[in-house]
C-alpha cells in the first residue's frame, strides 16, 4: 500500500465533539436539483397518494404555481446534506424539534443546507457530548424552505480537548399555531373533495380521536437503500450490509426518515385531505426497522387550531405512531411496562408529533 | 383506544354490491400527472424497449407532438384510480373487455378516471354480485385517452338489501377493425426500421403464426411492489406481506397488470415494429405470479386487418401468453386436461387478446 | 405449435463471427431520450453524489448550459444499444479502450449509437473469432458525445465460413493528455469547494498515492437488474435468473458497467472534486459480481497532467479497483500468486484505468 507523506489526507473523518463551536455555521455540500424523477421514485418507494405532489392541475387549483414535491421528500434530501458534517460520528440521533416547512419546494428547485451550532453540552464521562444545530435549507433563490433543530450525541476524538461552555437551547414543545407557516397563496375555499376521495374536513376531526389506518407496506432492504441513496444520505449503516453484519443489528438499518414517509403514505386512508405538513414538533424512532418489516400506522388527534383571517384552512396537530409487523388496530398502547418501567412496545418504531393543514368545511 | 362518537368514521370501507346503482357515475380520486420519472421507472421495472416512449425524435418523426408514455403505463395508472371505489371489496376480478387506447398520453399529462355502472347481477347465493363498469380516463384537457369495461364480483355487506334488476351489458368479443382508434396524425409511411432494429412489417406476419420470445425476466417482490406503488394501486394484496401470509398464497401477489407489461416488454423481440396498442380485447390472469418468478411469453397472431385510406399502417390482433418458470418454447399449449377437464397449465399466468398497430411494407 | 413456412423468422439471432465484415457500419436500434427520471434513478441505484449531475445551478456556474447526466449513465445507455448487434453471441467481452467523453449529455438529449468494425481475427480453433469495433454515440444534433473501442470474442455459426483477413487495430494504452476532450466552456477558475465538500485540488494528489474509500454498498439482484433494464441492455444473463440457474454462476450476473458506477460513486469520498470523466483507458472485470455482494473500492493515482492554456483544470489518471465483500483497506494488492502464477484476488471485481478532470488550486 503506497502512502505519500507529502499529499494531504483525502478521506474526511467528519466533525467530533471538540470540533464544534457555538455559533459556527457549516455549509453542507452537494446542492441538489429535485426533478420529476425524484417525485416518481418517491411515489414508487412509499405509495404516497397525497394530491399536491400527484397532480399539477390540482396543485394549481389550490394556488400553487406548479406541483410541489412532497414535504417529506424535501426534508429527507435537505437533511441528508447535513450527515457528513453533523452526524457521521454520532453515537445517537437524540431528537429534533421545531421543523418548519416554510415554503413549497417545486419540481426543478435546487436545495442547499447549512447548519448553525446553537448548543453544546459535554457529557460527564468526558468522552462525548451533545451538539444542537439549527439547519436551514434554501432554494436556488435563497428562499428558506425548511428549518429544523436537531441534537446528536457525538464522540470526542481528542479526549484532552477542554469542555466548551454548556449551552442548551430552549426548544418549543411544539410549533404553536401562531408560528405555523401557512402559505398566503394557498386557497382551499373551493376545495374539491373528489380530488382526494376524502369527505372529512377540519371540523370532522376531534381531539383525542384515534384513526387506525388499515393498510401495511412491506419494505425490503432494496426498497429502503434505494430511498437512502435517492436522498443522498451517506450514513453507511443504511446501505453497507457487510459493515452492519458485525453490529448489534446484524444487518442494515432503515433510515428513520423513510419510516416517517411510509407512515405518512399509509395515513392517507383517513386523512385524505391533510394537504400539507406545516411542522414536525418532535419525534422518536423507538425501535429499529429492518428489511422485510411490514409497517402499519395509527394517528391520534392531539390538538386543532384555526387561523385568524383564514376561513378556508385549519391545522391538526397529530401523533403518528408507526408499528411493525402487527396491524395498527391490534395495539392499544405504544408502551409496555416491565418491572414498573415504562418503555416503548418493541413493535413501535415511530412516535411522531406533527401538524398538517387541512381544508375547513365550506360555509 | 379512544373512540369518539361525535366524529364521523374516517376509514372508508369502499362500495359493496348493494351500494352500486345502474347508471351511477363514480369520480375516482387522485388525479395523476405523469412525468419523466414515471417513464424512466417504467423502463427500469419492465425493460421495455418500444421506440415511441424511448425516443422523443422518433416519436416526432412518426407524427406525435412529443414522446408519449407507454400505453400500458397509462392504463395501469388510470386503472389504479378505480380500485378504491370498484374493487376493494371484490371477491374476484372477472374480466375486462373493449379496452380502447383513444389518444396518446404525453409526458406532463394529468389523468383522471371515472366509472359508470353499466350492469348488475346478484349471485343466486344472495351474498355477492357482479358489477360491470365502463371506466374512462381523461387528460387535463378532458380528452378521453382510455376507455374500458371490467366486471368484478363484489361482496354484499347488507345481506337483506334487495337484489337489483339484472342487467348484463353486451360486450364485443374483440374491438373490430372499424372501431379501432387509429391516430390521424400518426404517419408511418417512411418508417425507419433502424429505429427499432426489426425488419418485419404488417405483411410479414401470418395468421396462426406463433412467435416464441426468447428472453425471460425475473421479478422480485421489490420489483412488483415498486410498480404497484408507482401506479398508486392501493390493493393491499400486492404490498402488505403480513396480511398475505394468512392468505392461500402465503405472500404478496403480483399485480396482474404488471405481468402484462413484462410480457409486452419481452415480446419486443419479434414484434419490434408493433408501435402502439390500439385495444385490449380481453384477458385472463390464469394463475398467480409471485416474487422471484421468471416470466416468459409467446405471441400468436389471431387476425390481421388493414384500414381504408391507410396504406402506412395495419393492425395485428395478437394473443400474448405469459408463462412462469419455463421458457415459452418449452410449452406447446396453454391447457392441460385432468379427468377430461381442460384447465390452464399451472405455469400459464396470462392469456391476453390485444391489437397493435404496425407499419406496412413501403411500396 | 403452429409454424408458418411462408412468414419470415421473427426472432433475431444476432451476428456471428462470419457475419462481421471489416469496415462495416452497424446502426444500433432504440434511440433513447434521457430525462430527469433516468438521472434520479441513477442516483438511487448508485448513491452518486458528483456535483455536476446533482445540481443545475452548480453545473451552470461551471459553464454548462444545464445539468449534464452522469458520464457513466450516458455510457451505459449508449453501450447497451450495441449489445443486440455486437455481443449477443459473444463468448467473452475481452476489453475496451480509448473511451472518450467528447461532449456533455444534457437532460432531454437523445442518444443513438453506431459501430464500425475495425478489426477481425479468427481463432486458431476455427470456432470463434475476435471482433474489434469502434462505437460512437451521437445526440439529436448528431454531435458525437461518446466514442470507444471494444473487442469481443464471438462464436462462428457456420464453421465452414472462410476466415477473414486478420486485422488487429492498434490501440492506445491510454488516452494521452493531448487527446483528452477538455470542454472549452468548462470554467473551474472560481471553483467553490463548498459545492462538493472536498478540499483537494489537482495539486493535492500525488502519483503513486492510494486512497481507500471507506464506504461499501450492498447491491441486491433487484438493484442491478433495475439498472440493466434502465440502461436497456438486453443481455439476458443479467435478468433471466432461470436461464442462469444452469450456468456456472447459478444465478444472474451483475452488468459490469454497473460495478464501475458503484465504484465511481463510492470514490466520491476522497475524490470529491473529480468533476467529470474525460476518458476510460481500459479495464478488466476480474471476477463476477452477484446479488447481495457488498462493493468497496480504492483509487491509485497513476499519472497527472496539466493542459496548455488551462490554469483552471488538470487531469488525473486513476486506477480504480473494485473489491467485493471486504473493505478496500483490508486488501493490499489486487493479485495473488498460486504456483508461481499471478492472478487477480478472487474478491477483486474491477480494475479500471480512467482519467478525470479536476480543478487546480486557485492562484
Amino acid at each position: 500500500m503506497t502512502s505519500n507523506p507529502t499529499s494531504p489526507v483525502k478521506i474526511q473523518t467528519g466533525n467530533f465533539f471538540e470540533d464544534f463551536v457555538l455559533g459556527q455555521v457549516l455549509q453542507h455540500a452537494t446542492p441538489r436539483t429535485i426533478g420529476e424523477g425524484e417525485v416518481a421514485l418517491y411515489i414508487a418507494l412509499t405509495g404516497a397518494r397525497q394530491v399536491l405532489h400527484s397532480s399539477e392541475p390540482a396543485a394549481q387549483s389550490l394556488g400553487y404555481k406548479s406541483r410541489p414535491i412532497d414535504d417529506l421528500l424535501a426534508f429527507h434530501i435537505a437533511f441528508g446534506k447535513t450527515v457528513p458534517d453533523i452526524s457521521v460520528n454520532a453515537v445517537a440521533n437524540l431528537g429534533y424539534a421545531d421543523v418548519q416547512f416554510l415554503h413549497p419546494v417545486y419540481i426543478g428547485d435546487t436545495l442547499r443546507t447549512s447548519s448553525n451550532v446553537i448548543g453544546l453540552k459535554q457529557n460527564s464521562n468526558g468522552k462525548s457530548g451533545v451538539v444542537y444545530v439549527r439547519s436551514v435549507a434554501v432554494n436556488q433563490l435563497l428562499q428558506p424552505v425548511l428549518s429544523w433543530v436537531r441534537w446528536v450525541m457525538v464522540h470526542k476524538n481528542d479526549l484532552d480537548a477542554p469542555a466548551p461552555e454548556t449551552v442548551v437551547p430552549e426548544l418549543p414543545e411544539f410549533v404553536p399555531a401562531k408560528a405555523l407557516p401557512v402559505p398566503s397563496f394557498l386557497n382551499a375555499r373551493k376545495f374539491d373533495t373528489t380530488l382526494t376521495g376524502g369527505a372529512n374536513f377540519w371540523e370532522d376531526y376531534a381531539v383525542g380521536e384515534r384513526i387506525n389506518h388499515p393498510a401495511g407496506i412491506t419494505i425490503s432492504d432494496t426498497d429502503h437503500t434505494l430511498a437512502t441513496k435517492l436522498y443522498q444520505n451517506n450514513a453507511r449503516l443504511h446501505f453497507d450490509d457487510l459493515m452492519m453484519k458485525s453490529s448489534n443489528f446484524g444487518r442494515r438499518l432503515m433510515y428513520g426518515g423513510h419510516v416517517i414517509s411510509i407512515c405518512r403514505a399509509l395515513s392517507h386512508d383517513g386523512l385524505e385531505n391533510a394537504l400539507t405538513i406545516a411542522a414536525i414538533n418532535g419525534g422518536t424512532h423507538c425501535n429499529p426497522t429492518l428489511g422485510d418489516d411490514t409497517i402499519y400506522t395509527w394517528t391520534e388527534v392531539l390538538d386543532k387550531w384555526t387561523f385568524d383571517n383564514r376561513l378556508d384552512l385549519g391545522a391538526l396537530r397529530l401523533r403518528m405512531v408507526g408499528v411493525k409487523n402487527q396491524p395498527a388496530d391490534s395495539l392499544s398502547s405504544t408502551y409496555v411496562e416491565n418491572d414498573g418501567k415504562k418503555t416503548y412496545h418493541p413493535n413501535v418504531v415511530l412516535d411522531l408529533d406533527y401538524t398538517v393543514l387541512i381544508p375547513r368545511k365550506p360555509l
Side-chain angles (χ1 to χ4, degrees), chain A residues 28-33 77 81 110-113 232:
Chain A
H28 306 300
T30 324
R32 174 78 172 274
T33 304
I77 288 178
K81 304 296 161 215
T110 302
L111 299 191
R112 296 196 70 164
T113 309
Q232 292 183 319

Side-chain angles (χ1 to χ4, degrees), chain A residues 291-363:
Chain A
D292 299 324
D293 280 346
T294 302
I295 306 295
Y296 297 86
T297 196
W298 84 69
T299 295
E300 192 185 326
V301 180
L302 297 179
D303 209 344
K304 53 186 296 187
W305 304 303
T306 54
F307 303 105
D308 292 347
N309 303 320
R310 293 293 304 235
L311 295 177
D312 61 331
L313 276 176
L316 298 176
R317 184 179 162 206
L318 303 172
R319 181 186 182 204
M320 180 166 73
V321 177
V323 183
K324 65 179 174 187
N325 304 330
Q326 64 176 101
D329 63 7
S330 70
L331 197 66
S332 56
S333 163
T334 50
Y335 300 107
V336 287
E337 268 201 42
N338 283 318
D339 300 331
K341 209 185 143 191
K342 199 171 150 190
T343 56
Y344 274 107
H345 186 286
N347 283 353
V348 172
V349 291
L350 176 72
D351 191 354
L352 192 88
D353 180 336
Y354 76 118
T355 304
V356 297
L357 302 182
I358 184 167
R360 291 180 62 181
K361 204 164 265 181
L363 298 175

Side-chain angles (χ1 to χ4, degrees), chain A residues 210-287:
Chain A
R210 170 170 161 166
I211 304 161
N212 291 312
H213 309 292
I217 291 187
T218 307
I219 303 292
S220 70
D221 278 324
T222 299
D223 281 313
H224 75 80
T225 60
L226 282 171
T228 297
K229 290 178 284 179
L230 178 69
Y231 306 146
Q232 292 183 319
N233 180 327
N234 70 324
R236 287 173 65 185
L237 76 170
H238 302 314
F239 50 75
D240 186 340
D241 201 62
L242 184 66
M243 178 187 79
M244 292 303 287
K245 278 215 167 76
S246 57
S247 73
N248 286 339
F249 304 105
R251 56 189 295 196
R252 283 165 276 177
L253 270 187
M254 198 179 307
Y255 160 53
H258 195 57
V259 178
I260 301 177
S261 284
I262 295 294
C263 290
R264 166 79 172 142
L266 290 170
S267 76
H268 184 70
D269 285 319
L271 284 168
E272 292 88 348
N273 295 332
L275 292 175
T276 184
I277 300 178
I280 297 175
N281 302 304
T284 304
H285 298 288
C286 322
N287 283 294

Side-chain angles (χ1 to χ4, degrees), chain A residues 139-218:
Chain A
N139 65 17
Q140 68 283 0
L141 303 172
L142 303 185
Q143 294 169 307
V145 298
L146 265 163
S147 166
W148 69 96
V149 173
R150 73 166 168 142
W151 53 106
V152 293
M153 190 183 298
V154 182
H155 283 293
K156 284 185 82 167
N157 191 36
D158 172 10
L159 296 184
D160 297 331
E165 193 193 347
T166 293
V167 175
V168 174
E170 250 182 87
L171 294 170
E173 186 201 334
F174 61 93
V175 181
K178 275 184 196 296
L180 285 176
V182 181
S184 56
F185 60 80
L186 200 168
N187 184 347
R189 233 171 138 176
K190 298 184 177 173
F191 182 70
D192 172 8
T193 57
T194 68
L195 291 177
T196 59
N200 296 298
F201 292 92
W202 179 85
E203 287 79 359
D204 297 313
Y205 292 87
V207 173
E209 179 178 3
R210 170 170 161 166
I211 304 161
N212 291 312
H213 309 292
I217 291 187
T218 307

